[in-house]
Amino acid sequence: MAEDRTGQVAVLFISERTGEDTEGYAVAAAAMDALAAEQPGYRGVDHVGDAQGQAITLSYWADEASAVAWRKHPEHAATREAGRGRWYKWYMLHVAEIGRSYGWERK
């Protein structure tokens, strides 16, 4: 079960992919997941997507400064530009502080 994320910053990335270069997208996505996990303040990621290419990715950060540093990371910025040119029809990004967090799990 996921940890308590109260006080963390969540970056919500909502997108629809073009369907082009699916192999290149998969390689880039895996590289960005690994790179994000190495960044100071990184707290985790959740992702859901469907077969039509619509997806929601939530990355969690210790604070706003950590989230902004990730946005400005040169490799992340280059991959973001590649995504705009090749992999995404559109995306929206929201940044929010988590005020309350809890979970439940069936035993």
Side-chain angles (χ1 to χ4, degrees):
M1 179 151 73
E3 67 182 78
D4 179 359
R5 298 205 179 277
T6 302
Q8 294 181 9
V9 170
V11 177
L12 297 79
F13 182 76
I14 305 159
S15 64
E16 183 174 358
R17 292 195 315 272
T18 62
E20 298 173 21
D21 186 25
T22 56
E23 186 176 312
Y25 174 82
V27 169
M32 289 301 99
D33 284 348
L35 184 62
E38 296 173 356
Q39 302 311 302
Y42 175 82
R43 296 295 182 258
V45 67
D46 291 316
H47 175 83
V48 294
D50 66 19
Q52 289 74 41
Q54 294 182 338
I56 301 171
T57 301
L58 295 94
S59 62
Y60 304 99
W61 301 90
D63 51 34
E64 177 73 10
S66 299
V68 169
W70 171 240
R71 183 185 190 288
K72 292 180 177 180
H73 190 287
E75 288 179 59
H76 181 219
T79 301
R80 182 173 53 246
E81 288 306 311
R84 288 176 177 166
R86 198 172 350 177
W87 299 311
Y88 292 109
K89 288 183 184 178
W90 59 267
Y91 68 76
M92 293 187 305
L93 189 126
H94 308 290
V95 179
E97 184 174 327
I98 300 173
R100 185 166 31 119
S101 175
Y102 61 91
W104 177 86
E105 182 177 358
R106 182 176 300 277
K107 300 274 185 222

XYZ file of all heavy atoms in Angstrom:
839
model
N 0.836 -1.172 0.000
C 0.000 0.000 0.000
C 0.887 1.243 0.000
O 1.969 1.246 0.563
C -0.917 -0.002 1.224
C -1.780 1.240 1.257
S -3.363 1.078 2.063
C -2.927 1.005 3.749
N 0.407 2.300 -0.632
C 1.177 3.541 -0.754
C 1.354 4.216 0.600
O 0.557 4.051 1.514
C 0.471 4.489 -1.715
N 2.396 4.988 0.671
C 2.704 5.698 1.910
C 1.853 6.948 2.055
O 1.234 7.414 1.098
C 4.183 6.076 1.914
C 4.532 7.107 0.845
C 5.995 7.461 0.810
O 6.763 6.658 0.269
O 6.352 8.537 1.316
N 1.836 7.499 3.250
C 1.170 8.773 3.516
C 1.932 9.861 2.762
O 3.137 9.984 2.889
C 1.182 9.044 5.017
C 0.524 10.355 5.400
O 0.053 11.100 4.518
O 0.484 10.641 6.606
N 1.232 10.642 1.976
C 1.877 11.687 1.175
C 1.507 13.092 1.645
O 1.745 14.073 0.942
C 1.524 11.493 -0.297
C 2.035 10.148 -0.828
C 2.248 10.191 -2.302
N 2.746 8.945 -2.842
C 4.022 8.573 -2.847
N 4.940 9.339 -2.318
N 4.384 7.426 -3.391
N 0.941 13.202 2.834
C 0.569 14.497 3.379
C 1.778 15.432 3.377
O 2.864 15.059 3.811
C 0.024 14.343 4.815
O -1.098 13.463 4.771
C -0.394 15.685 5.393
N 1.581 16.637 2.840
C 2.635 17.644 2.800
C 3.530 17.577 1.579
O 4.302 18.497 1.325
N 3.422 16.515 0.802
C 4.234 16.417 -0.403
C 3.606 17.244 -1.525
O 2.452 17.630 -1.457
C 4.363 14.958 -0.846
C 5.146 14.105 0.131
C 5.285 12.666 -0.319
O 4.947 12.292 -1.435
N 5.804 11.827 0.576
N 4.391 17.513 -2.540
C 3.915 18.194 -3.738
C 3.665 17.133 -4.797
O 4.514 16.276 -5.044
C 4.944 19.238 -4.228
C 4.584 19.779 -5.600
C 5.049 20.374 -3.217
N 2.476 17.186 -5.401
C 2.124 16.242 -6.462
C 2.105 16.981 -7.791
O 1.520 18.060 -7.904
C 0.756 15.628 -6.194
N 2.753 16.408 -8.782
C 2.710 16.931 -10.143
C 1.844 15.960 -10.942
O 2.188 14.792 -11.092
C 4.119 17.049 -10.752
C 4.045 17.528 -12.199
C 4.981 17.990 -9.917
N 0.703 16.456 -11.431
C -0.253 15.638 -12.175
C -0.065 15.916 -13.653
O -0.255 17.049 -14.110
C -1.687 15.991 -11.767
C -2.069 15.725 -10.320
C -1.549 16.798 -9.389
C -3.570 15.635 -10.215
N 0.330 14.913 -14.386
C 0.592 15.020 -15.819
C -0.477 14.206 -16.528
O -0.496 12.972 -16.441
C 1.995 14.501 -16.132
C 2.374 14.606 -17.578
C 2.720 15.825 -18.134
C 2.406 13.481 -18.387
C 3.089 15.925 -19.477
C 2.768 13.557 -19.726
C 3.110 14.787 -20.263
N -1.398 14.872 -17.212
C -2.521 14.241 -17.891
C -2.282 14.419 -19.381
O -2.044 15.540 -19.844
C -3.844 14.898 -17.464
C -3.962 14.859 -15.945
C -5.032 14.222 -18.143
C -4.927 15.868 -15.385
N -2.340 13.310 -20.137
C -1.901 13.403 -21.529
C -2.638 12.437 -22.437
O -3.262 11.481 -21.992
C -0.405 13.106 -21.614
O -0.151 11.770 -21.213
N -2.488 12.718 -23.733
C -2.898 11.775 -24.769
C -1.766 11.685 -25.771
O -1.289 12.697 -26.285
C -4.174 12.218 -25.471
C -4.645 11.214 -26.500
C -5.983 11.560 -27.119
O -6.589 12.576 -26.741
O -6.410 10.811 -28.013
N -1.341 10.452 -26.052
C -0.229 10.247 -26.975
C -0.720 10.152 -28.417
O -1.872 9.834 -28.687
C 0.539 8.981 -26.588
C 1.254 9.143 -25.269
C 2.292 8.076 -25.008
N 1.892 6.716 -25.290
C 1.290 5.913 -24.415
N 1.007 6.348 -23.211
N 0.980 4.680 -24.760
N 0.190 10.397 -29.334
C -0.120 10.346 -30.767
C -0.173 8.915 -31.292
O -0.787 8.670 -32.322
C 0.952 11.092 -31.585
O 2.217 10.433 -31.395
C 1.046 12.552 -31.201
N 0.517 8.008 -30.632
C 0.634 6.642 -31.131
C 1.841 6.451 -32.031
O 2.127 5.347 -32.480
N 2.571 7.533 -32.291
C 3.776 7.461 -33.115
C 4.970 7.037 -32.267
O 5.064 7.393 -31.094
C 4.066 8.841 -33.725
C 2.981 9.343 -34.650
C 3.231 10.784 -35.096
O 4.379 11.258 -35.032
O 2.252 11.419 -35.495
N 5.868 6.297 -32.854
C 7.145 5.930 -32.233
C 6.949 5.369 -30.819
O 7.537 5.847 -29.861
C 8.081 7.144 -32.212
C 9.478 6.810 -31.710
O 9.899 5.636 -31.820
O 10.136 7.726 -31.186
N 6.120 4.334 -30.717
C 5.824 3.773 -29.398
C 7.068 3.195 -28.719
O 7.194 3.283 -27.500
C 4.722 2.704 -29.483
O 5.114 1.696 -30.413
C 3.402 3.307 -29.920
N 7.977 2.633 -29.508
C 9.204 2.092 -28.926
C 10.079 3.215 -28.355
O 10.605 3.099 -27.251
C 9.990 1.297 -29.963
C 11.201 0.600 -29.385
C 11.918 -0.269 -30.408
O 11.237 -1.043 -31.101
O 13.153 -0.160 -30.490
N 10.220 4.297 -29.108
C 10.993 5.439 -28.621
C 10.380 6.046 -27.376
O 11.081 6.442 -26.442
N 9.046 6.100 -27.356
C 8.345 6.618 -26.178
C 8.639 5.745 -24.957
O 8.951 6.256 -23.885
C 6.837 6.696 -26.415
C 6.093 7.097 -25.171
C 6.000 8.438 -24.810
C 5.524 6.143 -24.332
C 5.358 8.806 -23.650
C 4.880 6.513 -23.170
C 4.792 7.844 -22.829
O 4.168 8.215 -21.675
N 8.547 4.433 -25.124
C 8.780 3.515 -24.007
C 10.190 3.665 -23.449
O 10.393 3.672 -22.228
C 8.524 2.075 -24.447
N 11.164 3.802 -24.327
C 12.555 3.981 -23.890
C 12.701 5.298 -23.126
O 13.305 5.348 -22.050
C 13.518 3.925 -25.103
C 14.918 4.377 -24.718
C 13.540 2.522 -25.689
N 12.140 6.371 -23.678
C 12.237 7.680 -23.026
C 11.513 7.692 -21.688
O 12.024 8.243 -20.704
C 11.679 8.767 -23.948
N 10.334 7.082 -21.623
C 9.572 7.054 -20.376
C 10.335 6.299 -19.288
O 10.410 6.757 -18.140
C 8.204 6.427 -20.610
N 10.920 5.170 -19.640
C 11.699 4.403 -18.666
C 12.917 5.194 -18.194
O 13.250 5.202 -17.003
C 12.131 3.067 -19.266
N 13.569 5.892 -19.115
C 14.735 6.705 -18.756
C 14.333 7.844 -17.819
O 15.043 8.139 -16.849
C 15.406 7.257 -20.004
N 13.196 8.485 -18.083
C 12.741 9.582 -17.227
C 12.313 9.076 -15.855
O 12.585 9.728 -14.841
C 11.601 10.360 -17.888
C 12.029 11.191 -19.079
S 13.308 12.441 -18.690
C 14.799 11.594 -19.228
N 11.678 7.904 -15.798
C 11.324 7.324 -14.500
C 12.580 7.089 -13.664
O 12.626 7.424 -12.482
C 10.574 5.999 -14.683
C 9.130 6.177 -15.099
O 8.607 7.320 -15.044
O 8.505 5.167 -15.481
N 13.604 6.504 -14.283
C 14.855 6.218 -13.571
C 15.559 7.503 -13.155
O 16.056 7.612 -12.027
C 15.769 5.360 -14.435
N 15.596 8.488 -14.045
C 16.266 9.751 -13.734
C 15.536 10.502 -12.632
O 16.165 11.048 -11.716
C 16.355 10.611 -15.001
C 17.107 11.931 -14.870
C 18.570 11.707 -14.487
C 17.010 12.709 -16.181
N 14.209 10.550 -12.691
C 13.433 11.231 -11.652
C 13.719 10.618 -10.285
O 13.896 11.335 -9.292
C 11.941 11.169 -11.967
N 13.789 9.289 -10.234
C 14.008 8.592 -8.964
C 15.355 8.930 -8.336
O 15.532 8.764 -7.126
C 13.885 7.084 -9.176
N 16.297 9.439 -9.123
C 17.620 9.820 -8.613
C 17.657 11.249 -8.086
O 18.658 11.659 -7.486
C 18.659 9.699 -9.731
C 18.869 8.294 -10.250
C 19.786 8.260 -11.459
O 20.205 9.331 -11.966
O 20.084 7.139 -11.918
N 16.605 12.016 -8.304
C 16.632 13.438 -7.972
C 16.355 13.686 -6.492
O 15.527 13.007 -5.877
C 15.605 14.202 -8.810
C 15.795 14.071 -10.302
C 17.219 14.331 -10.738
O 17.777 15.397 -10.502
N 17.818 13.343 -11.383
N 17.033 14.684 -5.909
C 16.749 15.042 -4.521
C 15.273 15.442 -4.373
O 14.727 16.153 -5.215
C 17.653 16.258 -4.272
C 18.729 16.151 -5.300
C 18.086 15.512 -6.498
N 14.639 14.954 -3.335
C 13.255 15.303 -3.065
C 12.232 14.410 -3.740
O 11.036 14.535 -3.478
N 12.654 13.492 -4.592
C 11.726 12.577 -5.255
C 11.119 11.644 -4.220
O 11.817 11.089 -3.386
C 12.475 11.765 -6.304
C 11.645 10.695 -6.970
C 10.802 10.998 -8.024
C 11.714 9.372 -6.544
C 10.053 10.012 -8.655
C 10.975 8.375 -7.163
C 10.136 8.702 -8.210
O 9.399 7.728 -8.820
N 9.790 11.473 -4.288
C 9.106 10.620 -3.315
C 8.315 9.476 -3.948
O 7.774 8.655 -3.240
C 8.175 11.464 -2.434
C 8.882 12.486 -1.574
C 9.770 11.770 -0.538
N 10.427 12.694 0.343
C 11.695 13.060 0.242
N 12.449 12.601 -0.737
N 12.236 13.891 1.102
N 8.199 9.436 -5.285
C 7.514 8.319 -5.913
C 6.689 8.742 -7.107
O 6.614 9.925 -7.447
N 6.044 7.742 -7.730
C 5.235 7.999 -8.916
C 4.097 6.982 -8.974
O 4.253 5.839 -8.524
C 6.091 7.946 -10.204
C 6.615 6.552 -10.473
C 5.341 8.485 -11.399
N 2.968 7.404 -9.492
C 1.835 6.535 -9.818
C 1.453 6.836 -11.259
O 1.554 7.983 -11.707
C 0.626 6.816 -8.915
C 0.851 6.391 -7.480
O 1.379 5.285 -7.275
O 0.479 7.162 -6.567
N 1.008 5.800 -11.977
C 0.661 5.989 -13.385
C -0.500 5.077 -13.749
O -0.536 3.916 -13.346
C 1.863 5.648 -14.277
C 1.555 5.707 -15.734
N 1.569 6.886 -16.439
C 1.195 4.744 -16.607
C 1.239 6.626 -17.700
N 0.998 5.331 -17.826
N -1.453 5.631 -14.496
C -2.532 4.835 -15.093
C -2.693 5.292 -16.530
O -2.504 6.468 -16.850
C -3.877 4.967 -14.337
C -3.786 4.375 -12.950
C -4.334 6.412 -14.276
N -3.026 4.349 -17.398
C -3.218 4.689 -18.805
C -4.117 3.675 -19.475
O -4.322 2.578 -18.959
N -4.639 4.053 -20.634
C -5.505 3.141 -21.376
C -4.912 2.819 -22.738
O -3.905 3.391 -23.151
C -6.929 3.700 -21.489
C -7.042 4.968 -22.321
O -6.131 5.274 -23.131
O -8.055 5.668 -22.182
N -5.542 1.912 -23.437
C -5.046 1.446 -24.725
C -5.105 2.521 -25.809
O -4.412 2.428 -26.820
C -5.846 0.215 -25.175
N -5.908 3.551 -25.609
C -6.027 4.636 -26.590
C -4.946 5.707 -26.414
O -4.877 6.652 -27.186
C -7.410 5.294 -26.508
C -8.528 4.409 -27.030
C -8.873 3.261 -26.077
O -8.916 3.443 -24.867
N -9.087 2.090 -26.629
N -4.106 5.560 -25.386
C -3.000 6.493 -25.211
C -3.271 7.628 -24.253
O -2.454 8.541 -24.123
N -4.410 7.608 -23.559
C -4.660 8.623 -22.543
C -4.086 8.120 -21.228
O -4.187 6.936 -20.907
C -6.143 8.910 -22.412
C -6.700 9.546 -23.666
C -8.174 9.882 -23.542
O -8.887 9.323 -22.728
N -8.622 10.805 -24.359
N -3.470 9.021 -20.470
C -2.793 8.596 -19.248
C -2.755 9.718 -18.225
O -2.865 10.895 -18.566
C -1.366 8.148 -19.569
N -2.585 9.303 -16.986
C -2.351 10.227 -15.879
C -1.138 9.709 -15.122
O -1.109 8.553 -14.702
C -3.557 10.318 -14.927
C -4.803 10.784 -15.684
C -3.243 11.257 -13.756
C -6.077 10.703 -14.865
N -0.147 10.561 -14.980
C 1.041 10.237 -14.198
C 1.140 11.252 -13.073
O 1.066 12.457 -13.317
C 2.310 10.282 -15.065
O 2.170 9.340 -16.138
C 3.546 9.946 -14.247
N 1.280 10.748 -11.853
C 1.456 11.619 -10.695
C 2.843 11.374 -10.135
O 3.177 10.240 -9.793
C 0.425 11.298 -9.609
C -1.009 11.571 -9.987
C -1.647 10.313 -10.523
C -1.754 12.075 -8.790
N 3.652 12.413 -10.092
C 4.943 12.285 -9.424
C 4.866 13.074 -8.130
O 4.170 14.091 -8.045
C 6.101 12.757 -10.310
O 5.983 14.117 -10.639
N 5.552 12.575 -7.122
C 5.487 13.153 -5.784
C 6.867 13.668 -5.385
O 7.875 12.990 -5.608
C 5.016 12.108 -4.778
C 3.688 11.494 -5.142
C 3.622 10.256 -5.773
C 2.498 12.153 -4.868
C 2.409 9.686 -6.118
C 1.276 11.591 -5.207
C 1.241 10.363 -5.832
O 0.038 9.799 -6.172
N 6.866 14.850 -4.783
C 8.103 15.532 -4.429
C 8.017 16.046 -3.001
O 6.937 16.367 -2.507
C 8.351 16.686 -5.412
C 8.436 16.159 -6.800
C 7.403 15.987 -7.695
C 9.595 15.633 -7.445
N 7.862 15.402 -8.849
C 9.200 15.170 -8.725
C 10.920 15.515 -7.081
C 10.099 14.602 -9.626
C 11.815 14.947 -7.981
C 11.400 14.507 -9.238
N 9.166 16.151 -2.355
C 9.216 16.606 -0.964
C 8.694 18.031 -0.816
O 8.072 18.369 0.192
C 10.650 16.512 -0.428
N 8.945 18.852 -1.839
C 8.556 20.255 -1.759
C 8.533 20.871 -3.157
O 8.925 20.226 -4.136
C 9.513 21.028 -0.840
C 10.982 20.802 -1.192
O 11.307 20.645 -2.390
O 11.804 20.778 -0.263
N 8.079 22.092 -3.236
C 7.979 22.808 -4.516
C 9.336 22.945 -5.190
O 9.457 22.784 -6.407
C 7.353 24.188 -4.282
C 7.255 25.053 -5.508
C 6.179 24.634 -6.503
O 5.353 23.773 -6.175
O 6.187 25.176 -7.626
N 10.371 23.235 -4.405
C 11.709 23.415 -4.984
C 12.184 22.141 -5.684
O 12.791 22.215 -6.757
C 12.698 23.836 -3.899
N 11.905 20.989 -5.111
C 12.297 19.719 -5.734
C 11.548 19.497 -7.045
O 12.139 19.059 -8.041
C 11.997 18.544 -4.791
O 12.708 18.663 -3.593
N 10.254 19.817 -7.059
C 9.456 19.665 -8.275
C 9.944 20.608 -9.374
O 10.052 20.225 -10.539
C 7.977 19.908 -7.977
N 10.262 21.828 -9.008
C 10.767 22.804 -9.981
C 12.136 22.377 -10.506
O 12.411 22.481 -11.705
C 10.818 24.222 -9.366
C 11.573 25.191 -10.254
C 9.397 24.725 -9.101
N 12.986 21.866 -9.628
C 14.306 21.400 -10.070
C 14.162 20.268 -11.089
O 14.901 20.222 -12.074
C 15.136 20.941 -8.869
N 13.199 19.378 -10.880
C 12.952 18.307 -11.847
C 12.500 18.895 -13.175
O 12.949 18.490 -14.240
C 11.931 17.312 -11.306
C 11.473 16.320 -12.322
C 10.199 16.134 -12.754
C 12.274 15.384 -13.059
N 10.152 15.142 -13.706
C 11.421 14.664 -13.912
C 13.632 15.091 -13.073
C 11.878 13.670 -14.769
C 14.093 14.103 -13.927
C 13.225 13.397 -14.765
N 11.603 19.863 -13.137
C 11.132 20.485 -14.378
C 12.291 21.090 -15.163
O 12.337 21.024 -16.382
C 10.091 21.568 -14.070
C 9.531 22.168 -15.339
C 8.578 23.322 -15.060
N 7.886 23.720 -16.254
C 8.436 24.370 -17.272
N 9.704 24.714 -17.246
N 7.730 24.693 -18.334
N 13.253 21.659 -14.449
C 14.377 22.348 -15.093
C 15.541 21.421 -15.451
O 16.477 21.857 -16.119
C 14.894 23.451 -14.176
C 13.907 24.585 -14.009
C 14.461 25.664 -13.092
C 13.519 26.835 -12.980
N 14.064 27.887 -12.098
N 15.496 20.163 -15.021
C 16.604 19.238 -15.303
C 16.810 19.170 -16.820
O 15.862 18.961 -17.579
C 16.294 17.859 -14.738
C 17.457 16.937 -14.778
N 17.918 16.365 -15.946
C 18.269 16.493 -13.794
C 18.957 15.613 -15.684
N 19.191 15.661 -14.380
N 18.053 19.342 -17.312
C 18.299 19.396 -18.758
C 17.815 18.171 -19.543
O 17.243 18.327 -20.626
C 19.821 19.544 -18.866
C 20.260 20.059 -17.543
C 19.267 19.573 -16.533
N 18.021 16.974 -19.014
C 17.564 15.778 -19.736
C 16.040 15.692 -19.765
O 15.447 15.292 -20.770
C 18.151 14.516 -19.104
C 19.638 14.341 -19.361
C 20.170 13.092 -18.685
O 19.668 11.995 -18.994
O 21.062 13.231 -17.838
N 15.419 16.081 -18.664
C 13.955 16.081 -18.615
C 13.413 17.122 -19.597
O 12.455 16.849 -20.333
C 13.485 16.375 -17.189
C 12.008 16.368 -17.025
N 11.363 17.261 -16.222
C 11.044 15.586 -17.565
C 10.061 17.030 -16.268
N 9.837 16.016 -17.067
N 14.013 18.292 -19.632
C 13.572 19.345 -20.559
C 13.714 18.888 -22.011
O 12.817 19.119 -22.833
C 14.360 20.629 -20.317
N 14.801 18.231 -22.343
C 15.006 17.748 -23.721
C 13.979 16.678 -24.084
O 13.434 16.684 -25.198
C 16.424 17.204 -23.878
N 13.688 15.794 -23.159
C 12.694 14.746 -23.420
C 11.302 15.351 -23.535
O 10.495 14.916 -24.369
C 12.752 13.672 -22.317
O 14.074 13.117 -22.302
C 11.740 12.571 -22.567
N 11.008 16.361 -22.727
C 9.719 17.060 -22.818
C 9.543 17.663 -24.215
O 8.484 17.539 -24.834
C 9.637 18.135 -21.740
C 8.318 18.872 -21.717
C 8.192 19.823 -20.528
N 9.300 20.753 -20.417
C 10.182 20.769 -19.414
N 10.107 19.909 -18.428
N 11.150 21.662 -19.392
N 10.571 18.280 -24.743
C 10.495 18.862 -26.091
C 10.311 17.786 -27.150
O 9.548 17.958 -28.099
C 11.735 19.716 -26.376
C 11.767 21.016 -25.608
C 10.509 21.844 -25.808
O 10.077 22.054 -26.971
O 9.934 22.284 -24.793
N 10.989 16.653 -26.979
C 10.801 15.534 -27.913
C 9.361 15.043 -27.851
O 8.757 14.731 -28.884
C 11.772 14.401 -27.587
N 8.804 14.995 -26.661
C 7.421 14.576 -26.494
C 6.448 15.491 -27.196
O 5.493 15.035 -27.837
N 6.684 16.779 -27.118
C 5.811 17.748 -27.799
C 5.879 17.573 -29.313
O 4.886 17.742 -30.010
C 6.218 19.173 -27.437
C 5.876 19.550 -26.030
C 6.390 20.942 -25.718
N 6.007 21.343 -24.377
C 6.534 22.366 -23.745
N 7.486 23.097 -24.332
N 6.126 22.681 -22.525
N 7.049 17.220 -29.808
C 7.214 17.090 -31.249
C 6.787 15.746 -31.813
O 6.489 15.641 -32.998
N 6.729 14.720 -30.966
C 6.550 13.369 -31.485
C 5.465 12.566 -30.781
O 4.655 11.934 -31.440
C 7.889 12.650 -31.308
C 8.104 11.450 -32.100
C 9.538 10.942 -31.970
N 10.397 11.901 -31.279
C 11.657 11.722 -30.970
N 12.247 10.612 -31.298
N 12.370 12.629 -30.349
N 5.455 12.539 -29.450
C 4.677 11.547 -28.724
C 3.324 12.008 -28.203
O 2.465 11.185 -27.927
C 5.489 11.012 -27.546
C 6.755 10.339 -27.968
C 6.895 9.389 -28.943
C 8.066 10.565 -27.458
N 8.197 9.000 -29.056
C 8.955 9.706 -28.152
C 8.591 11.388 -26.466
C 10.310 9.648 -27.888
C 9.927 11.337 -26.207
C 10.788 10.482 -26.911
N 3.127 13.314 -28.053
C 1.893 13.784 -27.420
C 1.008 14.576 -28.368
O 1.489 15.431 -29.105
C 2.205 14.661 -26.197
C 2.818 13.881 -25.075
C 4.144 14.040 -24.726
C 2.063 12.944 -24.381
C 4.715 13.291 -23.708
C 2.624 12.191 -23.356
C 3.948 12.377 -23.027
O 4.511 11.638 -22.024
N -0.314 14.283 -28.305
C -1.306 15.133 -28.967
C -1.518 16.375 -28.120
O -1.676 17.475 -28.628
C -2.643 14.400 -29.105
C -2.668 13.296 -30.123
C -4.067 12.702 -30.204
C -4.079 11.529 -31.161
N -5.430 10.921 -31.214
N -1.570 16.161 -26.816
C -1.757 17.247 -25.849
C -1.373 16.738 -24.466
O -1.303 15.531 -24.247
C -3.198 17.761 -25.826
C -4.223 16.717 -25.494
C -4.929 15.958 -26.392
C -4.624 16.279 -24.199
N -5.752 15.087 -25.729
C -5.596 15.260 -24.371
C -4.276 16.644 -22.906
C -6.209 14.622 -23.305
C -4.888 15.999 -21.834
C -5.844 15.008 -22.041
N -1.124 17.683 -23.583
C -1.004 17.353 -22.166
C -1.354 18.556 -21.320
O -1.340 19.693 -21.789
C 0.370 16.779 -21.793
C 1.551 17.711 -21.875
C 1.794 18.689 -20.913
C 2.468 17.587 -22.908
C 2.901 19.513 -20.977
C 3.589 18.400 -22.982
C 3.794 19.355 -22.004
O 4.897 20.173 -22.079
N -1.740 18.272 -20.093
C -1.989 19.288 -19.068
C -1.162 18.900 -17.854
O -0.955 17.714 -17.597
C -3.464 19.327 -18.656
C -4.405 19.788 -19.722
S -6.105 19.995 -19.080
C -6.428 18.398 -18.363
N -0.719 19.887 -17.128
C 0.065 19.635 -15.938
C -0.499 20.482 -14.808
O -0.774 21.668 -15.000
C 1.530 19.994 -16.204
C 2.474 19.585 -15.106
C 3.594 18.748 -15.679
C 2.994 20.785 -14.388
N -0.691 19.862 -13.665
C -1.163 20.563 -12.470
C -0.186 20.258 -11.343
O 0.313 19.136 -11.239
C -2.557 20.096 -12.059
C -3.559 20.138 -13.165
N -4.054 21.312 -13.696
C -4.150 19.136 -13.852
C -4.921 21.026 -14.649
N -4.987 19.717 -14.768
N 0.054 21.236 -10.497
C 0.919 21.051 -9.339
C 0.102 21.402 -8.103
O -0.533 22.457 -8.059
C 2.173 21.944 -9.427
C 3.050 21.758 -8.197
C 2.949 21.651 -10.706
N 0.127 20.502 -7.119
C -0.675 20.709 -5.919
C 0.057 20.196 -4.687
O 0.815 19.225 -4.769
C -2.009 19.981 -6.055
N -0.193 20.836 -3.558
C 0.312 20.318 -2.295
C -0.756 19.402 -1.715
O -1.944 19.729 -1.713
C 0.614 21.447 -1.313
C 1.223 20.925 -0.029
C 1.669 22.017 0.913
O 2.088 23.080 0.434
O 1.582 21.796 2.128
N -0.338 18.254 -1.231
C -1.276 17.286 -0.679
C -1.548 17.639 0.780
O -0.650 17.586 1.620
C -0.721 15.857 -0.816
C -0.488 15.541 -2.298
C -1.668 14.844 -0.167
C 0.214 14.237 -2.551
N -2.795 18.005 1.050
C -3.178 18.413 2.399
C -3.541 17.261 3.309
O -3.422 17.358 4.533
N -3.979 16.167 2.719
C -4.359 14.994 3.497
C -4.146 13.771 2.623
O -4.381 13.807 1.426
C -5.819 15.096 3.909
C -6.286 14.002 4.803
C -7.625 14.299 5.480
N -8.499 15.130 4.695
C -9.712 14.745 4.274
N -10.176 13.564 4.550
N -10.457 15.588 3.568
N -3.723 12.678 3.236
C -3.443 11.468 2.483
C -3.712 10.254 3.356
O -3.310 10.210 4.521
C -1.964 11.486 2.059
O -1.588 10.291 1.419
N -4.427 9.278 2.830
C -4.635 8.030 3.545
C -4.977 6.948 2.538
O -5.246 7.231 1.377
C -5.748 8.156 4.607
C -7.099 8.508 4.058
C -8.005 7.522 3.686
C -7.484 9.844 3.916
C -9.252 7.859 3.184
C -8.721 10.177 3.411
C -9.611 9.182 3.051
O -10.836 9.509 2.550
N -4.956 5.724 2.962
C -5.251 4.622 2.074
C -6.037 3.541 2.782
O -6.232 3.575 3.995
N -6.459 2.557 2.018
C -7.177 1.396 2.533
C -6.789 0.214 1.693
O -6.551 0.348 0.493
C -8.684 1.636 2.432
C -9.495 0.464 2.885
C -9.877 0.185 4.156
C -10.020 -0.589 2.066
N -10.603 -0.984 4.179
C -10.708 -1.491 2.892
C -9.950 -0.856 0.709
C -11.333 -2.618 2.414
C -10.583 -2.002 0.219
C -11.264 -2.871 1.087
N -6.674 -0.927 2.306
C -6.311 -2.133 1.582
C -7.139 -3.299 2.106
O -7.250 -3.504 3.310
C -4.826 -2.426 1.787
C -4.333 -3.633 1.052
C -2.822 -3.837 1.233
O -2.173 -3.021 1.886
O -2.328 -4.854 0.713
N -7.717 -4.068 1.173
C -8.491 -5.266 1.551
C -7.544 -6.305 2.116
O -6.488 -6.570 1.558
C -9.200 -5.828 0.322
C -10.066 -7.050 0.650
C -10.840 -7.529 -0.554
N -11.734 -6.529 -1.093
C -12.977 -6.273 -0.633
N -13.449 -6.958 0.389
N -13.718 -5.339 -1.200
N -7.918 -6.895 3.205
C -7.104 -7.934 3.844
C -7.434 -9.281 3.260
O -8.505 -9.579 2.875
C -7.350 -7.951 5.342
C -7.017 -6.634 6.001
C -5.575 -6.566 6.347
C -5.323 -5.268 7.107
N -4.207 -4.578 6.796
